[in-house]
Amino acid sequence: MEITQRDEFVCQDYHDGKDIHELSRTHGLSERRISQILTANGVTRRPRNITQKKPLSREHARLGLYLYTFRLEKGFDVYDAANDLGWSRIKLRKIEKGVKEVELLDVMDISAYTQTPIEELLGKFNGS
């Protein structure tokens, strides 16, 4: 697969610190397409810095970070992950950031998605 000049600019801008949303606006592409370009070119995605976010609690932050890290390590796109969970992309992002209340059904979805028993997941959620 040949890398285009546009793709080179996208990758360089990402390396220079722009986030996917900024790249989307700058290059006139969807966030999903930006993500595909970065993945196709082997660009390592930056983990989000949770200290800049205001999670509802430490437990929400832990669960969100666990879900985010799982998705990132598996190389799953946010759109595909949200679809697999049966959630919207916005709901997934909010839970990953720890800024959305989590219901029992959400915990069950996360457990099934990550193939982590609920007891173990709740242990992570509570900091055990």
Side-chain angles (χ1 to χ4, degrees):
M1 180 175 176
E2 183 179 317
I3 186 169
T4 66
Q5 188 174 19
R6 178 206 61 201
D7 292 358
E8 288 178 21
F9 287 132
V10 168
C11 294
Q12 185 58 49
D13 286 347
Y14 186 78
H15 285 298
D16 290 343
K18 286 189 177 181
D19 65 21
I20 290 178
H21 181 71
E22 290 175 302
L23 293 171
S24 174
R25 287 185 314 201
T26 302
H27 295 280
L29 300 168
S30 69
E31 291 182 25
R32 185 175 194 163
R33 183 63 188 132
I34 296 292
S35 185
Q36 290 171 342
I37 289 169
L38 296 174
T39 300
N41 290 289
V43 175
T44 303
R45 301 286 291 276
R46 292 185 297 267
R48 81 180 157 89
N49 186 355
I50 64 169
T51 59
Q52 295 176 351
K53 309 297 178 197
K54 296 191 188 319
L56 297 173
S57 69
R58 282 186 302 187
E59 291 79 13
H60 284 89
R62 284 186 190 125
L63 183 65
L65 186 59
Y66 175 74
L67 181 57
Y68 177 81
T69 303
F70 174 84
R71 184 174 62 77
L72 193 66
E73 287 175 354
K74 297 293 183 181
F76 296 145
D77 179 86
V78 68
Y79 295 94
D80 294 333
N83 188 46
D84 291 346
L85 283 159
W87 298 349
S88 70
R89 180 183 60 86
I90 293 169
K91 178 178 179 176
L92 174 59
R93 288 295 217 186
K94 286 184 177 182
I95 288 179
E96 286 180 346
K97 293 176 184 176
V99 297
K100 181 174 182 357
E101 287 293 340
V102 179
E103 299 176 4
L104 178 57
L105 290 175
D106 298 330
V107 174
M108 292 171 66
D109 289 342
I110 294 169
S111 173
Y113 181 68
T114 61
Q115 298 179 351
T116 305
I118 290 180
E119 301 80 25
E120 184 180 332
L121 189 60
L122 291 175
K124 291 177 187 303
F125 182 76
N126 291 318
S128 304

